[in-house]
Amino acid sequence: MGESKGKIAVLTSGGDAPGMNAAVRAVVRTGIARGYEVYGVRRGYNGLLNKEIFKMTFHDVSEKLQHGGTFLFTARSAEFNEDAGKQKAAKICKELGIETLIVIGGDGSFKGARDLSKYGVNIVGLPGTIDLDIDYTEYTIGFDTAVNTAMEAIDRIRETSNSHERVSVVEVMGRSAGYIALWCGIANGAEQILIPEKFDNDYDKLISIIKSNREAGMTHQVVVNAEGIGHSYGLAKKIEEATGIETRATILGHMQRGGSPTARDRVYASVMGAYAIDVIEQGKKNRLIGYKDGKVYDVDVYEAFDMKKDINAYEYEVAGILGTRCE
C-alpha cells in the first residue's frame, strides 16, 4: 500500500439506531480501500475527549452489519457540550493527526459536530436516528427497522385487543416527531393516531370518536400514541372511564431501538457510509450526508440546519380516512 492520504475517525453518538454498524463498516472499508487510515472512537464524544481511539482494519468490522445497536458504543458527554470541551476535542484530533471526524447520530450529535468544526476539525455527518426527525434528509438510519419492530408488536396487540373487545393505546417512540406513529398507524390500520405535529389535545373529541366507532360495530380499536404526546396509561384510564370500554395501554419503549436492521437500513447505511468517504475525497468540508428525491447527497452543515420538513399532510389525511368507520 502507498502512503496514507490522511487519518479519518468515526464515532456513533446519541440514541443507538439499527444500521449504525453497517454505516461504520462502510466508512472503514471504503476509507481503507481509498488509502486512508481509519480510526474508531468508542463512546461518542465522551470517548473522543478520553482518547478512546483505535486504528481500525477490515477485520474489525467483519460480522457487524447484521447486528443492531452500535459496537462502538454511545454515551452522553456534559463536558463536550461546553465550548471548552469542543476545543479540547479539536486539540486531541490535531495531536493525533485526525483531519476528518465522521459522526453518525441525530440532530443533537450534528449540532455538536457543527460547533466542533469551528475549531478546525472537518466533520461529515450521517443521519442515524429511529425518529426520522432530521430536516435535511428524507431518510435516517434505523427508522425502517424501528417502524417494522413497532408494527409487528402492534399487530400482536391488536389480536388480543380483538379477543377482549377492548381499546388498546400503544405508545411508540418519537418525542418531538410523529413519523413512527404515523407509519405504524397506516401499516397497522389504527383507528386513531396521536402525534405532536397534529394532535390538538382535544381528548373529548377523541373519546367521542371511540364511542361512535363502537356504536358503528367496531369490536376493538387501536390508538397509536407518539411518545411526544405520552401519558398513555392515564389516557387509557380516561377512555375507559368515559366510554365504559375496557382499555389497556402498552408502551413499546426501547425495544424499538433493538434488533437486526432491515435490508433497507443496511443498504442505505452502507451507501451513505461509502458516500461520506467520497465527499472527503472530493475535498469538501463540513458536510452532512442524506437522502433526497431517491438519491444520496451531501449538504453544507449550516445550510442543513436552515432546512425544515414536516409530517406528510396527505399521508396523515389518508390515515384518518382509513381508520374511521362511516357506514
Side-chain angles (χ1 to χ4, degrees):
M1 257 183 115
E3 187 178 342
S4 168
K5 291 182 180 178
K7 296 180 179 180
I8 296 167
V10 57
L11 62 78
T12 52
S13 177
D16 63 303
M20 280 184 165
N21 288 331
V24 173
R25 174 179 178 270
V27 165
V28 172
R29 292 195 167 182
T30 307
I32 292 172
R34 299 283 167 79
Y36 293 92
E37 291 180 42
V38 185
Y39 291 78
V41 182
R42 292 189 178 97
R43 299 177 181 86
Y45 292 124
N46 197 54
L48 179 60
L49 291 172
N50 293 324
K51 298 185 180 180
E52 297 183 55
I53 302 166
F54 65 103
K55 189 174 180 178
M56 300 188 75
T57 66
F58 263 61
H59 177 71
D60 288 327
V61 291
S62 295
E63 302 300 322
K64 294 291 193 293
L65 87 165
Q66 70 267 40
H67 296 294
T70 163
F71 75 93
L72 287 179
F73 307 113
T74 181
R76 298 191 184 279
S77 175
E79 184 182 0
F80 185 80
N81 287 337
E82 304 297 327
D83 285 339
K86 295 181 181 71
Q87 290 179 43
K88 178 182 174 182
K91 185 179 179 182
I92 289 170
C93 287
K94 187 174 182 181
E95 287 173 355
L96 297 176
I98 294 168
E99 298 165 354
T100 301
L101 179 66
I102 296 176
V103 174
I104 306 170
D107 200 51
S109 302
F110 285 169
K111 286 176 182 175
R114 177 196 63 191
D115 295 342
L116 179 62
S117 72
K118 298 173 184 176
Y119 300 105
V121 179
N122 179 37
I123 62 97
V124 178
L126 300 181
T129 170
I130 66 169
D131 292 328
L132 196 63
D133 59 345
I134 298 180
D135 291 322
Y136 76 89
T137 182
E138 296 170 0
Y139 168 82
T140 61
I141 298 165
F143 174 73
D144 191 60
T145 306
V147 165
N148 277 280
T149 299
M151 179 191 73
E152 291 171 7
I154 295 170
D155 278 346
R156 288 164 171 76
I157 291 167
R158 183 181 279 282
E159 288 179 352
T160 191
S161 182
N162 182 31
S163 298
H164 291 269
E165 298 182 283
R166 64 168 59 131
V167 174
S168 289
V169 177
V170 187
E171 184 173 316
V172 298
M173 286 185 124
R175 193 175 302 135
S176 59
Y179 294 101
I180 293 176
L182 176 60
W183 277 53
C184 284
I186 295 172
N188 293 108
E191 282 67 42
Q192 292 292 308
I193 305 169
L194 311 183
I195 58 177
E197 297 90 340
K198 298 290 185 180
F199 187 54
D200 58 3
N201 293 311
D202 190 345
Y203 289 101
D204 290 338
K205 180 181 177 183
L206 171 67
I207 289 168
S208 176
I209 292 171
I210 290 170
K211 280 182 178 178
S212 296
N213 286 341
R214 172 54 67 94
E215 290 165 2
M218 282 191 180
T219 58
H220 67 285
Q221 299 176 59
V222 171
V223 178
V224 176
N225 186 29
E227 179 185 5
I229 302 298
H231 308 292
S232 293
Y233 291 114
L235 175 57
K237 184 179 179 182
K238 184 182 290 188
I239 291 170
E240 183 166 319
E241 288 175 348
T243 65
I245 305 169
E246 182 183 17
T247 305
R248 294 289 183 271
T250 304
I251 299 176
L252 298 184
H254 285 87
M255 67 175 289
Q256 293 158 91
R257 290 196 182 280
S260 181
T262 60
R264 190 177 192 187
D265 274 330
R266 298 184 197 193
V267 171
Y268 279 33
S270 297
V271 172
M272 286 198 286
Y275 191 84
I277 302 298
D278 290 341
V279 165
I280 295 168
E281 283 268 85
Q282 294 163 20
K284 293 182 179 181
K285 300 290 185 182
N286 304 322
R287 312 293 289 183
L288 299 183
I289 311 301
Y291 262 84
K292 192 174 183 180
D293 300 326
K295 298 178 182 178
V296 64
Y297 88 117
D298 60 282
V299 61
D300 174 79
V301 63
Y302 284 95
E303 184 181 339
F305 274 95
D306 286 335
M307 295 181 179
K308 297 295 176 189
K309 74 175 181 184
D310 201 357
I311 284 288
N312 186 305
Y314 183 67
E315 289 177 1
Y316 184 75
E317 179 187 350
V318 167
I321 293 170
L322 298 180
T324 303
R325 179 67 64 92
C326 53
E327 293 176 358

